Amino acid sequence: MKTTVNFFRTLLLAVLTLTFGACGEDSLLAELGLDGQTSTKVDGAREVWDGTVAGSFTGGSGTAEDPYLIADGAQLARFAAIVNGTDGMTQNTAANGKLTADIVLNDTEGWENWNESTEGLNSWTPIGNSWENQFTGTLDGDGHSVSGIYISNETDYQGLVGYLGEDGALRNLGVNASYIKGGYRVGGLCGWNDGGTVTNCYNTGNVTGTWNYVGGLCGWNDGGTVTNCYNTGNVTGTGDYVGGVCGDNDGTVTNCYNTGNVTGNDAYVGGVCGYNDGTVTNCYNTGNVTGNYAYVGGVCGNSWGTVTNCYNTGNVTGNYYVGGVCGDNYIDTVTNCYNTGNVTGNDYVGGVCGYNNRTVTNCYYLTGTAAGGINGNDAAGKAEAKTAEQFQSGEVASLLGDGWGQAIGTDKYPVLDADDAKRVYAVTLYQGSDAADARYLNSNGTFPTLTDNAIALVDAGSPFSGKNIVVKDGNSYTCAEFVLTDGADFYTPVLFTATNATYTRMPKVWANGESGWETLCLPFSGTLYAGEEAKEPVDVASNNGAYWLRSLTGFTEPNILIFASPATAADNQIEAGMPYIIALPGNTFGSESLEGQTISVRGTNVTVTNEAQSVAAGSMFAFTGTFATKAYGAASYRLNSENGSDEAGNLFVLDTNKLAPFRCRIDVKGINIGGASTRSASGLPKELRIGQ
């Protein structure tokens, strides 16, 4: 609702006349610094500019330390006049200003329908409106906005600021509900940013250019910096270089986004930048991008620079060189980016890049989004299609890495996440085989329960900890607490170091003379414990408190295998991956019985491997261990205490049944015995005796 204040102005003039005598209206108002500020209030809150230039500011001297304080449209027009050297002002292109309130240049009711024919609006002359009048000072919005900007012409340098020169700065400033139309170098905040900085700014108005370099924030960011900015207005250009944030970027664009629709009639049209010859980092587009000719992209239409940590979810339509992220990646890199918008064109169409001439790394697109056209080369420099489920699960967010996040179950797609509040952690489970079960969790997610010798691989920085959690840090893997129990399969795809490693078993047989053997093969080195007591791993004469640990060393006859105490036993260690036979003293052997006790093997700071070794005895037999249940062929022998017969454990018998994890078997390698005789496969002995 609009309420005029001319009545109060008239009343004020009457009071001033009685006080100071008859004099001109402007001189009276000038006495109080109110000249040129006749205005209209909108909804009883903000005053609408009447198109005049104020005689003074609310305060300040225009220096960096003491900027002009700008409270309304007339004072903003005064600031523009000082920079431009118009309206009788002494020119100072390096003047500094600061808004103290939201400013309304025109009543914004129905602003969405403004066009070049709209009448009755105040036209805005940009701050720094030519090459000669480059604005090199600072305009600080202090969190305020300028609404109702109306510009309708086909000249150069159009926007709230036309030409932002080197050392010039716009910050903490918004442009709302505005119509800005120009010819060449047109933007919501500035037409040309020639080496200046634009920080914490936004535009919600509509921007149109009838020639080149048209952007929601900056028409041309030429060696400048645009940071923490966004555009929600529609951007339209009839020439080249049209972008939601910058029409052309030859500088740096960081932490910016666009949600408005971007339309270009010619080449180089992008959701963030129409053309990029600098760096675009941590940016995204959700608006629809349409180009009638070539080089059309969800983030950049054409890139000769770098595009990193960016994404597009808007639909992208063009003719040639059309891509979900870049229409054409011509000379540099596109890294850690993704696209889920539909991409449509006639030639060189791709889910990430329509055409890629250089390097695309760690980039993804939603399956089926690149429709129509030929010659799209996402498969070349490495974009990968991912399903909707893979996007929603957090998999893509995890793959994209640092700076990305996703609220699992809430966010449909990954988001840029500078503070890691939504960071996604990959948790890959291995349940005794090489079949990977990948899960993706936020820090407050429920970590899966690890049972039956399962391990979980997580990245460094993960908040998850506990048993059998293996942490990847660069190229190294560590596990604080690694626990294996007998009877379940074990598998790891990587070598890792366990600070503490434990394996437990309840033996079935115990030593009684020469019987009572079991086999043993573990993925880490360690010392044997019975209960909490460490046991010497050597075959001592007394046999008291000792266990027998032996390795295959040879054979004397076709059915006699020679096992002896291994040399590695001297350091009290069972060696990782090495196959052994092992016996524990029973109640009829020696002075100490371990019968019925649970045994364990424990290691500290040990390497855990998935390589079970094989020990050959001559040319015929091999003694091989396993960490997971396996089935074997006809020429395989298992210890008779481990083949289901519940025998004493004194013979290896021919057996094709499955071998349990952490056990060993004898395989026939050949049929030549010392070169002296030969047997056929059918002539294999039914059993192999343990000798020493």
Side-chain angles (χ1 to χ4, degrees):
M1 209 174 148
K2 188 185 293 184
T3 305
T4 62
V5 296
N6 287 335
F7 171 78
F8 298 100
R9 175 187 173 93
T10 303
L11 179 60
L12 177 60
L13 283 172
V15 173
L16 292 172
T17 301
L18 289 174
T19 304
F20 296 101
C23 60
E25 173 181 317
D26 289 339
S27 63
L28 287 173
L29 294 174
E31 291 289 330
L32 301 178
L34 299 174
D35 55 318
Q37 297 187 60
T38 302
S39 58
T40 301
K41 288 187 176 180
V42 177
D43 295 330
R46 295 173 294 175
E47 297 179 344
V48 176
W49 180 46
D50 70 347
T52 60
V53 178
S56 64
F57 295 101
T58 297
S61 60
T63 65
E65 298 77 16
D66 185 32
Y68 293 127
L69 301 181
I70 302 170
D72 57 28
Q75 292 182 9
L76 187 64
R78 180 181 178 87
F79 185 78
I82 290 173
V83 173
N84 298 336
T86 59
D87 294 286
M89 301 295 176
T90 300
Q91 186 175 30
N92 179 10
T93 58
N96 296 277
K98 184 176 183 179
L99 302 191
T100 62
D102 291 343
I103 293 175
V104 181
L105 300 182
N106 285 289
D107 183 354
T108 58
E109 184 176 357
W111 74 271
E112 297 92 341
N113 299 317
W114 290 354
N115 55 45
E116 64 274 8
S117 301
T118 304
E119 297 179 351
L121 298 174
N122 299 313
S123 293
W124 176 249
T125 300
I127 302 166
N129 60 359
S130 69
W131 177 275
E132 296 77 13
N133 302 330
Q134 301 178 28
F135 176 43
T136 59
T138 295
L139 180 59
D140 186 352
D142 198 29
H144 296 292
S145 65
V146 179
S147 300
I149 299 174
Y150 181 76
I151 300 174
S152 181
N153 57 60
E154 295 188 6
T155 57
D156 202 358
Y157 314 119
Q158 298 301 318
L160 173 63
V161 174
Y163 196 133
L164 183 66
E166 189 173 1
D167 298 325
L170 303 177
R171 63 187 182 216
N172 310 318
L173 178 61
V175 169
N176 283 323
S178 297
Y179 176 80
I180 299 172
K181 178 186 176 183
Y184 196 75
R185 303 185 183 99
V186 184
L189 269 293
C190 64
W192 189 359
N193 177 20
D194 190 8
T197 61
V198 181
T199 309
N200 296 334
C201 294
Y202 67 87
N203 171 59
T204 69
N206 294 328
V207 180
T208 300
T210 60
W211 194 229
N212 296 338
Y213 307 109
V214 185
L217 270 295
C218 297
W220 186 0
N221 181 42
D222 188 6
T225 300
V226 180
T227 307
N228 298 339
C229 296
Y230 69 87
N231 172 68
T232 65
N234 295 326
V235 181
T236 304
T238 57
D240 294 335
Y241 310 107
V242 184
V245 176
C246 297
D248 184 344
N249 172 51
D250 296 320
T252 301
V253 177
T254 306
N255 299 342
C256 295
Y257 69 86
N258 171 66
T259 65
N261 294 327
V262 181
T263 304
N265 192 53
D266 213 327
Y268 311 115
V269 184
V272 176
C273 297
Y275 176 86
N276 172 48
D277 196 14
T279 62
V280 177
T281 307
N282 297 344
C283 296
Y284 69 87
N285 171 66
T286 64
N288 294 326
V289 182
T290 304
N292 291 331
Y293 184 48
Y295 306 110
V296 185
V299 176
C300 295
N302 179 249
S303 180
W304 288 48
T306 62
V307 179
T308 307
N309 284 14
C310 294
Y311 71 88
N312 170 67
T313 64
N315 295 328
V316 183
T317 304
N319 197 351
Y320 305 102
Y321 303 103
V322 187
V325 176
C326 291
D328 178 15
N329 175 42
Y330 188 74
I331 203 168
D332 217 316
T333 61
V334 179
T335 307
N336 300 348
C337 297
Y338 80 84
N339 166 62
T340 62
N342 291 321
V343 185
T344 305
N346 293 318
D347 202 358
Y348 292 106
V349 181
V352 171
C353 292
Y355 181 82
N356 174 43
N357 192 50
R358 289 300 183 195
T359 304
V360 173
T361 305
N362 199 35
C363 292
Y364 308 92
Y365 62 96
L366 182 62
T367 300
T369 51
I374 59 173
N375 295 327
N377 64 344
D378 279 321
K382 302 298 182 183
E384 184 177 350
K386 295 289 185 181
T387 65
E389 291 75 16
Q390 288 173 304
F391 272 96
Q392 293 171 9
S393 70
E395 176 181 342
V396 175
S398 174
L399 290 170
L400 289 169
D402 291 342
W404 292 91
Q406 185 175 359
I408 306 299
T410 300
D411 294 333
K412 190 174 182 180
Y413 300 117
V415 297
L416 294 167
D417 181 30
D419 59 2
D420 281 346
K422 296 184 176 182
R423 183 171 176 178
V424 175
Y425 301 92
V427 178
T428 308
L429 306 183
Y430 291 90
Q431 187 75 58
S433 73
D434 59 0
D437 179 8
R439 318 278 183 92
Y440 302 94
L441 303 174
N442 298 124
S443 60
N444 60 350
T446 301
F447 196 85
T449 301
L450 300 180
T451 60
D452 298 330
N453 294 341
I455 64 168
L457 267 59
V458 301
D459 289 329
S462 163
F464 310 117
S465 61
K467 294 180 179 179
N468 290 17
I469 295 179
V470 180
V471 180
K472 178 184 179 182
D473 190 357
N475 293 323
S476 65
Y477 297 82
T478 59
C479 178
E481 191 72 20
F482 178 56
V483 178
L484 288 177
T485 57
D486 197 49
D489 294 346
F490 168 72
Y491 171 82
T492 176
V494 295
L495 295 178
F496 63 90
T497 300
T499 304
N500 294 292
T502 304
Y503 163 81
T504 59
R505 178 192 290 187
M506 175 64 76
K508 292 177 60 177
V509 297
W510 293 267
N512 182 11
E514 285 302 306
S515 65
W517 296 103
E518 292 191 354
T519 59
L520 177 68
C521 186
L522 296 179
F524 63 88
S525 300
T527 300
L528 184 82
Y529 282 76
E532 294 302 314
E533 183 179 353
K535 296 298 179 180
E536 290 292 328
V538 293
D539 187 6
V540 296
S542 65
N543 296 315
N544 292 327
Y547 69 92
W548 297 354
L549 181 72
R550 295 182 177 179
S551 294
L552 181 65
T553 58
F555 64 91
T556 58
E557 298 178 31
N559 64 336
I560 303 295
L561 300 173
I562 305 302
F563 288 87
S565 298
T568 56
D571 61 3
N572 293 345
Q573 291 290 296
I574 295 174
E575 185 179 345
M578 183 64 66
Y580 299 101
I581 59 172
I582 183 173
L584 299 167
N587 58 12
T588 61
F589 187 84
S591 61
E592 180 184 19
S593 173
L594 302 181
E595 186 172 354
Q597 292 194 44
T598 298
I599 65 167
S600 62
V601 177
R602 305 178 191 179
T604 302
N605 296 322
V606 293
T607 298
V608 179
T609 180
N610 199 38
E611 287 289 331
Q613 300 179 39
S614 180
V615 178
S619 60
M620 185 171 183
F621 299 115
F623 190 37
T624 304
T626 183
F627 304 145
T629 303
K630 291 185 179 179
Y632 298 100
S636 180
Y637 293 80
R638 285 204 302 170
L639 195 62
N640 60 1
S641 61
E642 298 172 345
N643 71 346
S645 63
D646 293 327
E647 295 188 31
N650 59 349
L651 296 173
F652 282 90
V653 295
L654 199 60
D655 189 343
T656 60
N657 290 323
K658 292 180 179 179
L659 185 68
F662 315 116
R663 304 303 195 275
C664 311
R665 73 184 189 277
I666 296 290
D667 285 332
V668 174
K669 290 184 61 181
I671 55 176
N672 181 22
I673 305 175
S677 62
T678 301
R679 291 190 178 189
S680 65
S682 61
L684 290 172
K686 294 182 178 180
E687 58 187 33
L688 301 172
R689 299 181 179 275
I690 298 175
Q692 55 183 314

